[in-house]
Amino acid sequence: MAVGSGLGSTFGFSAESVYGTYVAPTKFPRHKTVSIKPTNQRVQGESIQGGILGSIGAHYVETTVGAEATVELDVQTSGLGLILQAITGGTSTSTVSTTPACTQTHTLGDPYGKSLTLQAGRPTRAGTAVPATLKGGKVTAAEFSCEVGGLLGLSLTVDGQAYDNTTALAVASYSAASVWSGKQMCVKAGAVGSEAAVDGIRSVSVSWTNPLDTSDYTACKAGLKAEPVLNGAVEITGSLAADWLAKATLEDLAVAHTSTSLVWEFTGANITGSVNQSFKMTLPGVFFESQAQDVPGKQELTSDWAFTWKYDGTNLPSIVVISTDAAL
């Protein structure tokens, strides 16, 4: 059914074999918002033509091309493997744990050689969907967030090599995947591999930033950038909103400048035997910012505890998903 509003929009993505080379989207998560736009640079020549009082149109030229995208969605229980790989950067794996349950492991690593094609369908008032396509997509930033009374959300910022609105729109197809909610959420902290549940957590947010050289334009490339490479340390930061239950839980870590391993996980429906759907982010070696619980008034005491991940010399951040996805 053609709908002439955002209700008729689509969003899809696929992995590229070659950076910037279109691959028709095959994954279509349900989205909340999507924006795909060109970032082409245009320069006006300022040469003077006697007697002409305006800038010369023939000297207004395009020098480089590019694209950008932002996407907001609820994190589904399956179907987002390629997105998670694009965020974490490493070579992700998908293995059968107990048929039909499969475990995807996404570990921090170099994102070079891993790019996406993104495509949105934008309905006109008459319901005709007009495509917007980004090629050479690299995730520069991602934010996960969830409160106990809400859903696990994901916001993505993507840099692209090129944009077009002429590539045919891929036909969207949707899975029966559910979404993660605060009811399924648990937060753990402690030594790596021995993390224990933390009581009193109201909400969690984690931001993952990949610093990429998104302006690597060189000659003989027709205005196209080279595939961006990492040009800085990956930054993973976040915060926990927590009830004040015991100072040892978070305040002692913040005051003593002591690191801990933080696990943020969601457990869903049973797949088979004792294996359930799962989404688990592990951040070994996080430090909480220096702060202490205050008394802002008569209300129950709570605080937002900000943290940042630092490499502990051994363990890397990861996102592990258990679902029925046999491949990314």
Side-chain angles (χ1 to χ4, degrees):
M1 178 176 63
V3 181
S5 70
L7 290 170
S9 65
T10 59
F11 168 67
F13 63 90
S14 58
E16 296 176 344
S17 299
V18 178
Y19 174 69
T21 300
Y22 172 81
V23 176
T26 56
K27 303 285 188 178
F28 297 90
R30 295 163 178 85
H31 62 286
K32 294 193 288 187
T33 68
V34 58
S35 172
I36 298 176
K37 298 179 179 179
T39 57
N40 301 357
Q41 179 172 319
R42 294 165 182 172
V43 176
Q44 175 65 56
E46 298 299 335
S47 299
I48 298 170
Q49 178 179 338
I52 299 301
L53 305 182
S55 298
I56 308 302
H59 290 198
Y60 185 46
V61 297
E62 195 163 83
T63 57
T64 60
V65 299
E68 63 182 9
T70 56
V71 183
E72 293 183 353
L73 49 81
D74 295 322
V75 178
Q76 298 182 174
T77 52
S78 63
L80 294 179
L82 293 174
I83 292 286
L84 297 177
Q85 178 178 250
I87 294 170
T88 56
T91 301
S92 300
T93 61
S94 182
T95 58
V96 177
S97 49
T98 304
T99 305
C102 299
T103 300
Q104 288 186 10
T105 302
H106 307 273
T107 306
L108 174 66
D110 186 356
Y112 190 79
K114 305 173 189 72
S115 59
L116 302 172
T117 292
L118 307 183
Q119 191 177 62
R122 304 161 297 159
T124 63
R125 185 175 292 275
T128 302
V130 178
T133 303
L134 178 147
K135 294 170 283 189
K138 307 284 289 188
V139 174
T140 57
E143 181 177 6
F144 297 86
S145 60
C146 186
E147 58 184 26
V148 171
L151 303 178
L152 175 60
L154 172 60
S155 298
L156 293 171
T157 302
V158 181
D159 176 78
Q161 187 191 46
Y163 167 94
D164 79 63
N165 60 2
T166 59
T167 301
L169 192 63
V171 177
S173 60
Y174 297 94
S175 73
S178 185
V179 293
W180 297 110
S181 74
K183 180 181 178 181
Q184 302 162 310
M185 179 171 69
C186 185
V187 176
K188 299 178 180 180
V192 175
S194 301
E195 299 90 348
V198 178
D199 288 336
I201 302 299
R202 295 179 178 234
S203 67
V204 183
S205 68
V206 174
S207 296
W208 194 302
T209 303
N210 295 319
L212 297 170
D213 181 5
T214 59
S215 58
D216 187 5
Y217 292 95
T218 55
C220 306
K221 302 297 184 182
L224 295 168
K225 73 180 74 175
E227 180 174 355
V229 298
L230 284 171
N231 61 355
V234 173
E235 295 183 0
I236 305 174
T237 60
S239 67
L240 305 177
D243 291 340
W244 177 242
L245 300 181
K247 77 180 185 71
T249 305
L250 297 172
E251 183 175 277
D252 281 355
L253 295 173
V255 171
H257 191 53
T258 302
S259 67
T260 188
S261 176
L262 192 66
V263 174
W264 184 21
E265 65 181 348
F266 297 77
T267 302
N270 181 260
I271 298 176
T272 183
S274 61
V275 182
N276 284 29
Q277 294 175 329
S278 176
F279 178 98
K280 181 170 75 172
M281 180 184 296
T282 301
L283 303 177
V286 303
F287 289 86
F288 287 91
E289 291 185 5
S290 180
Q291 70 176 82
Q293 177 67 53
D294 57 7
V295 182
K298 299 177 181 179
Q299 66 270 29
E300 179 182 4
L301 301 190
T302 65
S303 248
D304 291 334
W305 301 86
F307 61 82
T308 184
W309 165 76
K310 303 293 183 182
Y311 181 49
D312 66 3
T314 303
N315 304 288
L316 291 172
S318 66
I319 299 174
V320 177
V321 176
I322 299 176
S323 70
T324 56
D325 288 343
L328 301 185

